[in-house]
């Protein structure tokens, strides 16, 4: 999918939602973090180019680590992230800033 910026959005992404990792009990964020890092790193090594995350998933730092550990160049990767629904202008800006910090400035698109 071509975006207005000229960048291409890959149609297939790996997600980093905690519910994707059935081996992790509810609220077991250490397990979620490690699973997200492992999944993203291996997705990149298998040739994947798109990672989807969200502030609510609590896996953004692990996503950034997996991307870094994969050895892929930043320009080869497309990252999407999300902020929770109706939260107001200032909270949305703060959420976007938080996402950028957690992802190490590693984001291409955000959804509020």
């Amino acid at each position: 999918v071509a975006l207005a910026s000229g960048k291409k959005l890959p149609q297939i992404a790996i997600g980093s939602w905690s519910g994707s990792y059935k081996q992790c009990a509810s609220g077991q964020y250490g397990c979620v973090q490690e699973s997200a890092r492992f999944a993203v790193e291996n997705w990149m090594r298998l040739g994947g180019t798109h990672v989807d995350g969200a502030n609510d998933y609590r896996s953004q730092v692990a996503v950034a680590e997996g991307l870094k550990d994969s050895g892929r160049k930043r320009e080869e990767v497309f990252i999407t992230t999300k902020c929770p629904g109706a939260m107001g202008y200032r909270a949305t800006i703060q959420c976007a800033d938080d996402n950028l910090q957690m992802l190490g400035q590693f984001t291409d698109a955000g959804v509020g």
Side-chain angles (χ1 to χ4, degrees), residues 55 83 91-103 105:
N55 190 284
C83 292
T92 300
I93 297 299
Q94 183 63 53
C95 178
D97 186 56
D98 291 347
N99 281 327
L100 287 169
Q101 287 181 38
M102 288 184 283
L103 289 165
Q105 306 296 313

Side-chain angles (χ1 to χ4, degrees), residues 16-83:
S16 59
W17 174 57
S18 61
S20 301
Y21 312 115
K22 301 300 182 196
Q23 73 277 17
C24 301
S26 179
Q28 194 178 20
Y29 294 111
C31 179
V32 170
Q33 293 286 321
E34 181 55 30
S35 298
R37 189 208 56 75
F38 178 82
V40 169
E41 178 181 352
N42 285 288
W43 173 246
M44 293 291 111
R45 290 186 179 180
L46 290 170
T49 59
H50 185 186
V51 177
D52 178 61
N55 190 284
D56 284 355
Y57 298 172
R58 299 183 183 180
S59 59
Q60 303 284 62
V61 172
V63 166
E65 290 170 356
L67 290 165
K68 181 180 174 190
D69 293 347
S70 75
R72 292 291 293 274
K73 294 180 182 174
R74 173 62 187 94
E75 56 273 6
E76 298 174 347
V77 180
F78 197 98
I79 298 151
T80 52
T81 189
K82 298 170 283 301
C83 292

